[in-house]
Amino acid sequence: MDYRDSAEEADYRAALRTWLQTNIPEPADTDDARTQQRIDWHRKLYEGGYLGQSWPAEWGGKGLSPTMDAILNEENGNTDAPMLPPTLGYIGRALGMFGTDAQRRQFIPASLSGEIQWCQGFSEPGAGSDLAAISTRAVRDGDEWVVNGHKMWTSFGQWANWCLLLARTNPDVPKHKGISAFLLPMDTPGLELRPIVLANGEPETSEVFYDNVRIPAENMLGQEGDGWKIAMTTVAYERGPSDIGAISAYRKKLTELEALAKDTGRDQDTQVRRELARAYVRGEVVRLTALEQLSSRATGKPVGEEGSIAKLLYTESAQELAHLAMALRGPDIITGRDTETARDYFQTRPISVYGGSSQIQRNIIASRLLGMPAQ
Ligand SMILES: Cc1cc2nc3c(=O)[nH]c(=O)nc-3n(C[C@H](O)[C@H](O)[C@H](O)COP(=O)(O)OP(=O)(O)OC[C@H]3O[C@@H](n4cnc5c(N)ncnc54)[C@H](O)[C@@H]3O)c2cc1C
């Protein structure tokens, strides 16, 4: 694939850049304000006509190439704009691939417009890497399913109005065959959410308790027992190349660090020069890996396990860059003049856990992509 823009892509990129420059809000300074701003930004991008470029027209999208979405992600990440809604890219895909026509009509346009904000209720205290071990139960009662259990790490749970939930509907079959997926409004009676404060001091994620929560049977996504397939599709899109925006944000941070090193004379320090060069090379490797995967997606190939390579490379690069930023900005962090760098640093720590830990990504690469024998 030729990674340079076609004439149509170049026009789109130019118009988008102008639009971004005139619409980006002032940065917010609290977690609540940042999240609200992210939701407002989602709506604004939709109103500007920028969301859903690669989504099929019958689902409310524009039916264009995934490259158009990548351009939006990339240009957005190059600026100080709020990040794009992360769950839209992967929960939206699950809805498109597994939803009934009625569900697609109900959920996809509202997800694109920002009216619906999703969270992902997969992990539990005893089931993270071994997701098939979930014990949250859903039992059929007439036209409803009744859910009882405890979910962990439901990110954006306190701001989301809908959840893609996994629950065990059949305990008598092999564990990954007895799971189903549900679409659940977050204000359903019996659901109790407790925020979890992360190391950066912000309640970005949550644990959620389900006590006789009733879900109408038509809110099952896919067929009974399809939960594992739906979960694996969702996480493949979550890990995949859609995150080109995170890569452009990485490059922006690296450029700022290079300027800082020059301004302070630290660029004369061999160790600093070496680390900046290493960060540059790593960033390019991640970018080209994501572009290669994107080009395969542009030919219509669904996202598969190769997303684990991009996720692992990005995780390590982002954590190393955050570490370098802490080293270069150290005195300002200690005196409290710089609060952003430490927040960024703590935000990069859980990347090696969420969406599947780095050890699990390595297992997937070894066994499923390289065909190595399981240990
Ligand atoms: C900030 C944050 C946000 C999250 N957001 C969400 C969300 O929105 N929705 C959601 O459902 N979940 C979410 N998660 C959960 C995340 O997906 C899990 O934490 C992750 O899959 C790891 O599971 P665990 O925490 O149970 O750790 P465990 O599975 O207990 O793993 C503990 C350690 O053992 C290692 N390990 C486990 N099994 C193996 C193995 N087979 N081989 C090698 N090493 C192994 C792991 O790599 C890890 O280092 C989030 C987590 C965090 C920290």
Side-chain angles (χ1 to χ4, degrees):
M1 182 182 175
D2 183 350
Y3 295 145
R4 287 169 302 187
D5 285 347
S6 66
E8 185 197 3
E9 287 162 359
D11 286 350
Y12 175 69
R13 192 187 289 277
L16 172 62
R17 270 189 192 161
T18 311
W19 187 90
L20 286 169
Q21 275 158 15
T22 45
N23 285 284
I24 291 173
E26 287 297 313
D29 54 4
T30 66
D31 199 39
D32 267 339
R34 263 188 290 275
T35 307
Q36 187 53 52
Q37 201 171 58
R38 197 181 299 167
I39 295 170
D40 294 344
W41 188 236
H42 179 163
R43 294 187 174 138
K44 196 153 194 164
L45 283 167
Y46 177 77
E47 283 157 16
Y50 290 107
L51 284 187
Q53 298 288 321
S54 73
W55 291 61
E58 63 269 28
W59 302 350
K62 297 196 174 158
L64 299 172
S65 154
T67 318
M68 298 305 229
D69 281 335
I71 292 174
L72 170 62
N73 274 301
E74 188 175 18
E75 291 300 326
N76 197 71
N78 275 335
T79 68
D80 291 327
M83 63 189 271
L84 295 174
T87 48
L88 179 61
Y90 48 90
I91 294 186
R93 292 285 159 191
L95 287 167
M97 291 167 80
F98 298 99
T100 59
D101 280 347
Q103 285 170 336
R104 289 181 189 141
R105 275 195 302 276
Q106 180 182 356
F107 292 107
I108 295 184
S111 302
L112 283 173
S113 72
E115 189 190 321
I116 293 184
Q117 297 290 323
W118 289 98
C119 61
Q120 185 191 62
F122 290 3
S123 305
E124 298 182 2
S129 303
D130 184 12
L131 187 61
I134 60 165
S135 57
T136 292
R137 282 278 280 131
V139 176
R140 183 84 188 229
D141 179 22
D143 288 341
E144 294 177 321
W145 289 89
V146 183
V147 180
N148 282 285
H150 176 187
K151 292 285 170 183
M152 261 323 260
W153 306 116
T154 307
S155 298
F156 309 112
Q158 56 271 54
W159 297 286
N161 44 12
W162 282 81
C163 179
L164 174 61
L165 176 75
L166 290 184
R168 185 164 302 287
T169 44
N170 187 347
D172 301 323
V173 292
K175 57 184 185 177
H176 61 282
K177 291 192 174 157
I179 299 172
S180 301
F182 296 92
L183 307 167
L184 171 77
M186 289 298 283
D187 59 0
T188 307
L191 186 155
E192 187 198 336
L193 183 141
R194 295 186 198 155
I196 300 174
V197 178
L198 296 180
N200 61 4
E202 296 179 351
E204 193 180 289
T205 188
S206 58
E207 59 183 323
V208 184
F209 298 86
Y210 295 80
D211 180 13
N212 288 319
V213 169
R214 289 184 165 268
I215 308 181
E218 69 261 23
N219 279 17
M220 180 177 277
L221 183 64
Q223 302 297 312
E224 190 177 336
D226 277 353
W228 183 251
K229 194 167 60 177
I230 292 173
M232 291 305 103
T233 304
T234 310
V235 294
Y237 275 94
E238 184 176 357
R239 293 168 188 158
S242 57
D243 232 355
I244 195 116
I247 300 165
S248 57
Y250 171 99
R251 289 164 78 196
K252 179 168 174 283
K253 277 182 207 156
L254 177 58
T255 308
E256 286 164 8
L257 284 184
E258 283 164 2
L260 176 72
K262 277 197 190 113
D263 288 351
T264 55
R266 300 282 301 275
D267 62 337
Q268 299 307 311
D269 179 330
T270 310
Q271 183 64 20
V272 171
R273 293 168 77 89
R274 196 173 285 151
E275 286 185 30
L276 285 169
R278 181 182 156 87
Y280 176 81
V281 172
R282 292 199 72 133
E284 282 302 282
V285 171
V286 188
R287 189 175 71 85
L288 293 169
T289 305
L291 286 177
E292 189 196 9
Q293 294 178 1
L294 185 71
S295 67
S296 133
R297 196 166 150 195
T299 62
K301 213 173 147 227
V303 170
E305 277 136 359
E306 70 283 352
S308 293
I309 301 176
K311 198 214 173 212
L312 188 59
L313 286 170
Y314 173 70
T315 299
E316 293 182 347
S317 310
Q319 291 184 342
E320 275 190 21
L321 186 69
H323 201 265
L324 179 59
M326 290 288 272
L328 290 178
R329 298 210 155 108
D332 282 349
I333 297 166
I334 292 166
T335 57
R337 275 172 50 199
D338 176 345
T339 51
E340 283 299 299
T341 303
R343 198 171 67 82
D344 256 21
Y345 175 83
F346 285 118
Q347 242 153 10
T348 62
R349 301 315 299 163
I351 309 178
S352 45
V353 179
Y354 60 65
S357 72
S358 290
Q359 289 83 353
I360 296 300
Q361 306 313 316
R362 285 194 181 88
N363 284 352
I364 293 171
I365 294 166
S367 63
R368 299 202 213 135
L369 294 172
L370 299 176
M372 292 166 78
Q375 290 281 319

